[in-house]
Amino acid sequence: MQYTIVGILLMIMMLLYFKVADRFNIVDKPNERSSHTEVTLRGGGIIFWFAALLYFVQHIESNYFFFTGITLVSLVSFWDDIQSLSNKIRISIHFLSISLIFYDLGVFNLMPLYGVVLAYILAIGLINAYNFMDGINGITGLYTLVVMGSLLYVNKNMQFFIDAVFIKYAMIASLVFLFFNYRKKAKCFAGDIGSIAIAFWVIYLVLKLILITNSVVWLLFLAVYGVDAICTIIHRLYLKQNIFQAHRLHLYQVLSNEYKIQHRLVAVYYAIVQIGVSVLVVFLYHKVQDILLFVIVIMPLLLIYSSKFYLLNKSNLKLNR
């Protein structure tokens, strides 16, 4: 009953936001780099902040660092959705917000200095990777459901590390968002506020699990996004492109734009592959060394990603004929 009420409240909040977005013309207009072709409401990912708010009002005594952090990144991201901000401002707020959850989780006391530095780099990198990957209908919502579902399974069956309701609120928000976004013509896009807010939520959970288990294998719950984002950055650096500018070189973009595979189908592909990775991680945890598990997971993903270059060459050959 509790989750039904939460879902209804989030649905109402979304519908109210649509009226605000429509009134103030908060829309995403397609350009030559976009994977969509019609003007669509932007910022629908505010639902993740709404979900965080609903959880916060019920758990104020133990959730204020996380909620303050997600509120800061949501505010700066929403501002960036409406009017572009400089990278320095955005990264500064991300750094401050991450510092809040690091303090909350005891990172500064539990890790040596080099570990803290690496944790900052990883956290900021994951936030941006999640943002980079939010480019087609359904991909953020479906992928988030898989990641949160994986964490929920671990929490219930392998290592209790957090209140399960905290994870479930994010999953409910994803389902409500998908109701509006997982369509041939989406009612709304997540915008930076959505992809960055939910990335912040995921980072908090994964980091807490890593600290409790003293194992980094849980980063593999983000392996599909991680491989695509990192490899695409390397590819763009090789091409001497500005990695902060919009582009269409992610594998999902090549599949959607160059080969015209339906966005929702590509999003399902990514979710299914991540499900396979998560199952493998859960099954092999404690059975193989962490480094070997990373190799077992990452190598096939690199092979899948490398198919992009074959697809691009094939597409160029067709265009040149």
Side-chain angles (χ1 to χ4, degrees), residues 13 79 96 109 189 212 218 291 315:
M13 289 176 174
W79 188 357
L96 174 59
N109 296 323
F189 294 145
I212 288 177
W218 312 114
I291 186 66
S315 178

Side-chain angles (χ1 to χ4, degrees), residues 6-17:
V6 170
I8 292 172
L9 287 174
L10 289 176
M11 184 73 73
I12 293 171
M13 289 176 174
M14 278 290 278
L15 293 173
L16 291 174
Y17 170 73

Side-chain angles (χ1 to χ4, degrees), residues 259 310-321:
Y259 285 83
Y310 168 77
L311 295 173
L312 285 172
N313 287 333
K314 186 178 179 181
S315 178
N316 289 334
L317 285 174
K318 286 182 179 180
L319 290 174
N320 292 329
R321 285 178 180 175

Side-chain angles (χ1 to χ4, degrees), residues 202-219:
V202 168
I203 289 166
Y204 182 84
L205 290 169
V206 171
L207 180 57
K208 186 161 189 174
L209 181 55
I210 287 172
L211 292 172
I212 288 177
T213 60
N214 197 32
S215 173
V216 296
V217 297
W218 312 114
L219 289 172

Side-chain angles (χ1 to χ4, degrees), residues 31-65:
N31 55 45
E32 70 278 3
R33 301 288 186 180
S34 303
S35 296
H36 61 284
T37 57
E38 299 182 11
V39 174
T40 307
L41 292 178
R42 176 187 286 190
I46 196 173
I47 192 169
F48 296 112
W49 182 81
F50 288 151
L53 174 63
L54 290 179
Y55 185 84
F56 174 67
V57 297
Q58 300 172 70
H59 305 83
I60 294 176
E61 70 288 346
S62 61
N63 193 242
Y64 46 87
F65 283 108

Side-chain angles (χ1 to χ4, degrees), residues 73-317:
V73 296
S74 296
L75 281 172
V76 74
S77 300
F78 191 58
W79 188 357
D80 195 39
D81 279 331
I82 298 173
Q83 180 179 343
S84 295
L85 290 175
S86 72
N87 289 327
K88 291 181 180 179
I89 294 176
R90 286 191 291 107
I91 292 176
S92 296
I93 297 299
H94 292 173
F95 184 87
L96 174 59
S97 300
I98 290 167
S99 297
L100 289 173
I101 60 172
F102 278 12
Y103 178 80
D104 185 39
L105 296 174
V107 170
F108 301 116
N109 296 323
L110 296 173
M111 288 186 177
L113 180 59
Y114 73 87
V116 173
V117 172
L118 288 175
Y120 270 113
I121 294 172
L122 184 62
I124 292 176
L126 285 173
I127 284 177
N128 284 282
Y130 228 95
N131 192 28
F132 293 158
M133 295 299 294
D134 178 38
I136 57 174
N137 297 353
I139 194 167
T140 293
L142 288 178
Y143 195 81
T144 298
L145 276 180
V146 173
V147 174
M148 291 295 181
S150 302
L151 291 166
L152 186 64
Y153 178 87
V154 171
N155 191 61
K156 181 179 179 181
N157 299 287
M158 299 175 68
Q159 172 65 63
F160 178 80
F161 67 98
I162 201 164
D163 176 20
V165 176
F166 185 65
I167 302 175
K168 291 177 181 178
Y169 271 41
M171 296 180 74
I172 295 170
S174 297
L175 287 170
V176 175
F177 174 69
L178 283 169
F179 176 78
F180 296 106
N181 179 254
Y182 192 72
R183 307 180 182 195
K184 186 173 183 179
K185 183 184 182 305
K187 173 70 175 177
C188 68
F189 294 145
D192 284 359
I193 185 176
S195 58
I196 290 176
I198 194 58
F200 187 81
W201 204 322
V202 168
I203 289 166
Y204 182 84
L205 290 169
V206 171
L207 180 57
K208 186 161 189 174
L209 181 55
I210 287 172
L211 292 172
I212 288 177
T213 60
N214 197 32
S215 173
V216 296
V217 297
W218 312 114
L219 289 172
L220 292 173
F221 283 168
L222 296 162
V224 175
Y225 264 21
V227 167
D228 195 319
I230 292 172
C231 289
T232 301
I233 289 173
I234 293 172
H235 184 201
R236 297 192 69 205
L237 289 172
Y238 173 78
L239 296 174
K240 298 181 179 179
Q241 295 180 355
N242 184 342
I243 62 172
F244 295 106
Q245 290 183 345
H247 64 96
R248 293 170 64 154
L249 283 177
H250 285 292
L251 176 57
Y252 77 84
Q253 291 173 316
V254 173
L255 294 173
S256 301
N257 300 322
E258 309 303 327
Y259 285 83
K260 308 302 179 185
I261 300 176
Q262 193 178 94
H263 290 195
R264 290 171 293 171
L265 191 56
V266 175
V268 169
Y269 291 159
Y270 272 69
I272 289 174
V273 174
Q274 185 58 60
I275 288 173
V277 169
S278 297
V279 169
L280 195 61
V281 170
V282 168
F283 179 74
L284 293 179
Y285 181 60
H286 279 330
K287 294 182 179 179
V288 301
Q289 293 182 343
D290 287 3
I291 186 66
L292 180 57
L293 184 50
F294 269 87
V295 172
I296 291 171
V297 169
I298 298 300
M299 291 307 295
L301 292 180
L302 289 174
L303 288 175
I304 293 172
Y305 181 84
S306 66
S307 67
K308 180 187 82 170
F309 301 103
Y310 168 77
L311 295 173
L312 285 172
N313 287 333
K314 186 178 179 181
S315 178
N316 289 334
L317 285 174

